[in-house]
Amino acid sequence: MRRELLLTSTFIAVLLLTFFFMTQNTRFESNTVVCQHPKNSFKVTYAKLDNGKMLSFEKNDQAIKELPIMELGNSIFQFEDQTSNYKLDLTKRIATETLKGETLVYRCDHKKFKM
């Protein structure tokens, strides 16, 4: 009886460890940030936040552009699109766009997908 109990508990422990490591190691990750302002809206999609990594940027349903991440700190990152500078704060869920001295503040929604 003890031998069966030991084998069963060992099997369950190994199974739980396997599931734990499977959930921690992702093969694919996608992050989508959609930001809204009464004048404009934009969507940013990226795999991982790193300096110099590329992100997809789409503003007002125009063509998607690939832009590099310029600055990165904690949960804040910055990038530039032609004449606009963007700064996204993922913890506060806000974004700012600076265009010719004018600053627009956006409300954002962040969705993360892992597989």
Side-chain angles (χ1 to χ4, degrees):
M1 182 69 159
R2 284 188 155 181
R3 182 176 177 175
E4 289 127 8
L5 185 60
L6 180 64
L7 285 174
T8 304
S9 61
T10 303
F11 176 73
I12 291 172
V14 168
L15 189 63
L16 289 174
L17 282 172
T18 302
F19 284 137
F20 174 75
F21 286 116
M22 285 176 63
T23 59
Q24 297 302 314
N25 297 321
T26 59
R27 290 178 284 155
F28 177 77
E29 181 177 339
S30 177
N31 293 277
T32 303
V33 181
V34 178
C35 298
Q36 304 279 335
H37 183 272
K39 291 183 180 179
N40 297 319
S41 66
F42 66 88
K43 180 168 90 171
V44 174
T45 306
Y46 60 91
K48 190 174 182 181
L49 285 178
D50 281 326
N51 275 330
K53 290 271 187 175
M54 301 301 279
L55 55 84
S56 296
F57 175 74
E58 179 181 4
K59 185 173 182 181
N60 297 332
D61 297 323
Q62 295 175 353
I64 297 173
K65 301 175 186 174
E66 295 289 321
L67 303 171
I69 296 172
M70 305 301 282
E71 282 188 42
L72 177 65
N74 294 340
S75 63
I76 300 172
F77 64 97
Q78 295 181 14
F79 62 94
E80 295 178 356
D81 173 43
Q82 295 176 357
T83 58
S84 295
N85 294 329
Y86 294 89
K87 183 177 183 179
L88 274 83
D89 188 338
L90 297 176
T91 55
K92 293 181 182 176
R93 295 183 183 219
I94 60 170
T96 57
E97 174 187 9
T98 305
L99 170 68
K100 298 179 185 173
E102 179 184 0
T103 301
L104 298 175
V105 179
Y106 294 80
R107 276 264 169 242
C108 300
D109 184 34
H110 181 209
K111 294 181 182 173
K112 184 182 273 193
F113 174 74
K114 286 185 178 183
M115 187 169 75

